Amino acid sequence: MKYYKYIPLFCFFSLTVFLYWKLENYEETKSLSSALINKDLPITDFKKISGNKEIHNFKGKEPFIINFFASWCVPCVEEHKILKKYEDSIPIIGIAYKDSEEKIIEFLNRFGNPYEVVYLDPKGKAAIDLGLYGVPETYYINKDGKIMYKHVGPVKDVDMKNIISFVRK
């Protein structure tokens, strides 16, 4: 009975050890994998907001990028600048995650539209099919329609350079 007073101290110590381990092993634990790597891109029906191509029009022709974003997503605004910079380098398909058509159109008018086509995923069905962790998230698809890489979080300039060279192989 007299050891009950040490339970908070034990919990604090355990949490401290865990957080220290997490910080020491950050590089090894930060990447989130996907079960869909090297698998065919699952095609879902979407409502198209802009553009004239369908996702299946890209398969078999050239590598492309699928970027999940939202008007309410703060990191998506920063990432959007990078996507605009590379819009002529590789086709980018945008999928608006759990958003409204009006807000997405306003977002694209305000920040520009780097996407060849923009789809709306209001209920997150496509996100479930692809195993989305959250927005922004970017998938790199080879010309055969296979998912080659998944990037969780906003892409940076160096990420785009590396991934474009990887996907174009």
Side-chain angles (χ1 to χ4, degrees), residues 8-23:
L9 182 62
F10 175 75
C11 290
F12 175 76
F13 179 73
S14 298
L15 182 62
T16 303
V17 169
F18 171 75
L19 291 175
Y20 177 77
W21 175 84
K22 191 73 171 161
L23 285 171

Side-chain angles (χ1 to χ4, degrees), residues 69-72 99-109:
F69 73 104
S71 65
W72 46 264
D99 217 326
S100 71
E101 185 173 352
E102 298 79 28
K103 288 183 180 178
I104 290 300
I105 290 170
E106 182 181 309
F107 179 88
L108 295 174
N109 287 338

Side-chain angles (χ1 to χ4, degrees), residues 5-151:
K5 63 183 178 183
Y6 295 110
I7 289 175
L9 182 62
F10 175 75
C11 290
F12 175 76
F13 179 73
S14 298
L15 182 62
T16 303
V17 169
F18 171 75
L19 291 175
Y20 177 77
W21 175 84
K22 191 73 171 161
L23 285 171
E24 285 295 312
N25 296 295
Y26 176 73
E27 289 301 317
E28 291 84 23
T29 60
K30 76 174 185 176
S31 65
L32 300 170
S33 63
S34 172
L36 296 175
I37 300 298
N38 292 320
K39 301 235 169 47
D40 288 332
L41 175 69
I43 301 295
T44 307
D45 289 331
F46 300 103
K47 178 179 181 184
K48 195 182 318 177
I49 296 177
S50 73
N52 56 6
K53 288 185 177 179
E54 300 294 333
I55 289 180
H56 65 272
N57 293 124
F58 292 95
K59 287 175 73 172
K61 296 180 181 149
E62 60 186 326
F64 59 97
I65 293 173
I66 294 178
N67 176 254
F68 279 87
F69 73 104
S71 65
W72 46 264
C73 167
V74 175
C76 294
V77 174
E78 285 303 310
E79 177 185 66
H80 208 74
K81 295 172 190 172
I82 302 299
L83 295 175
K84 285 285 298 160
K85 183 176 176 181
Y86 289 94
E87 68 182 307
D88 294 329
S89 301
I90 190 164
I92 304 172
I93 296 170
I95 300 178
Y97 175 71
K98 292 190 176 181
D99 217 326
S100 71
E101 185 173 352
E102 298 79 28
K103 288 183 180 178
I104 290 300
I105 290 170
E106 182 181 309
F107 179 88
L108 295 174
N109 287 338
R110 182 173 180 193
F111 299 110
N113 186 353
Y115 306 110
E116 286 205 22
V117 62
V118 179
Y119 293 103
L120 185 62
D121 187 18
K123 303 226 188 272
K125 174 146 178 27
I128 291 169
D129 292 345
L130 284 168
L132 188 82
Y133 287 101
V135 289
E137 198 161 291
T138 307
Y139 295 82
Y140 302 89
I141 317 299
N142 71 5
K143 69 177 185 163
D144 300 320
K146 297 209 182 288
I147 300 170
M148 301 307 294
Y149 182 76
K150 172 182 178 176
H151 184 88

